[in-house]
């Protein structure tokens, strides 16, 4: 079975870029600068299931997105997580946190309702991510 | 400044074992089988800050603990996360989730109150982890 992006991830995000291994997506929630990485490999659920030959590439892409998002947003702290209790396809959350954001110091999941970006704000962040990651 | 385990992590956990890079701790919350890995390197806050020469060792230890906890508990899903909004010393949560646990399908942080292990139950899980990881 080839890789196919889970429909819920597609519905909740905008596409940023395709790295060598992972799709990079932007969660459509302007409250938190929040990327999601999805390795284009079939049938992965858990973080430890990425095959050994692709592991360092996988982690390196997570780190690159984390550093890019930190730089672009001036984040106080980066949160990195692979949960997948609701959407089981392996995906890694990379979230830029500020001490005055709507969920601080708790985690962002399940807090209030997503606030969709307006197009200009989403485009600006996506452009910044593409440039920083390229 | 040498490595020193954050006092809050020490207070919330029992010691499981020392791997080559990380201290492995067990959160003292019987509701969720939940390990925490802390690399013994000073001044790390974020997941992407582990120095490149130690990165694969770091991730490999996270994966080993995840696989051990899955095997020992028959977890339905593993959650892996580096948040650190409250305790800034880099630590990675590895949590065995079941579809009938007290937080499912949400994340475990901030849900209710920790239920401390009785000594026998903690010792059994710690012994199992030590044997599986050794």
């Amino acid at each position: 079975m080839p890789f196919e992006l889970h429909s819920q991830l597609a519905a909740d995000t905008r596409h940023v870029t395709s790295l060598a291994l992972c799709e990079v997506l932007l969660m459509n929630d302007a409250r938190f600068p929040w990327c999601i990485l999805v390795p284009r490999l079939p049938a992965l659920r858990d973080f430890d299931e990425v095959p050994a030959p692709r592991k360092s590439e996988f982690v390196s892409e997570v780190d690159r997105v984390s550093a890019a998002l930190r730089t672009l947003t001036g984040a106080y702290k980066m949160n990195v997580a692979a949960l997948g209790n609701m959407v089981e396809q392996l995906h890694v959350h990379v979230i830029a946190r500020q001490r005055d954001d709507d969920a601080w110091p708790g985690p962002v999941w399940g807090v209030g309702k997503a606030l969709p970006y307006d197009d200009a704000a989403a485009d600006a962040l996506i452009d910044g991510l593409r440039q920083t990651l390229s």
Side-chain angles (χ1 to χ4, degrees), chain A residues 80-103:
Chain A
V80 173
L83 305 180
N85 304 335
M86 299 196 190
V87 171
E88 293 203 349
Q89 180 175 66
L90 177 61
H91 59 287
V92 179
H93 302 269
V94 177
I95 309 156
R97 304 299 306 275
Q98 303 286 4
R99 281 173 292 181
D100 61 355
D101 71 33
D102 284 6

Side-chain angles (χ1 to χ4, degrees), chain A residues 2-133:
Chain A
F3 170 80
E4 188 176 351
L5 182 65
H6 192 289
S7 58
Q8 189 65 52
L9 295 177
D12 291 343
T13 64
R14 295 177 185 229
H15 190 255
V16 176
T17 191
S18 300
L19 299 178
L21 177 59
C22 293
E23 293 301 297
V24 183
L25 312 169
L26 177 69
M27 273 291 276
N28 191 17
D29 188 345
R31 300 174 303 162
F32 312 107
W34 177 351
C35 286
I36 291 183
L37 287 90
V38 187
R40 287 187 304 277
L41 297 171
L44 297 180
R45 289 175 80 230
D46 279 349
F47 186 85
D48 67 316
E49 292 174 355
V50 176
R54 309 301 296 274
K55 192 81 193 191
S56 70
E57 185 180 18
F58 170 61
V59 174
S60 162
E61 291 185 356
V62 171
D63 286 356
R64 282 171 61 200
V65 170
S66 183
L69 209 49
R70 181 194 291 114
T71 300
L72 289 166
T73 65
Y76 177 74
K77 186 80 184 65
M78 299 304 301
N79 290 173
V80 173
L83 305 180
N85 304 335
M86 299 196 190
V87 171
E88 293 203 349
Q89 180 175 66
L90 177 61
H91 59 287
V92 179
H93 302 269
V94 177
I95 309 156
R97 304 299 306 275
Q98 303 286 4
R99 281 173 292 181
D100 61 355
D101 71 33
D102 284 6
W104 187 265
V108 300
W109 303 279
V111 172
K113 274 179 69 85
L115 177 70
Y117 283 99
D118 63 50
D119 285 342
D123 288 347
L125 183 49
I126 288 170
D127 283 352
L129 284 164
R130 286 180 182 155
Q131 286 174 32
T132 312
L133 291 168

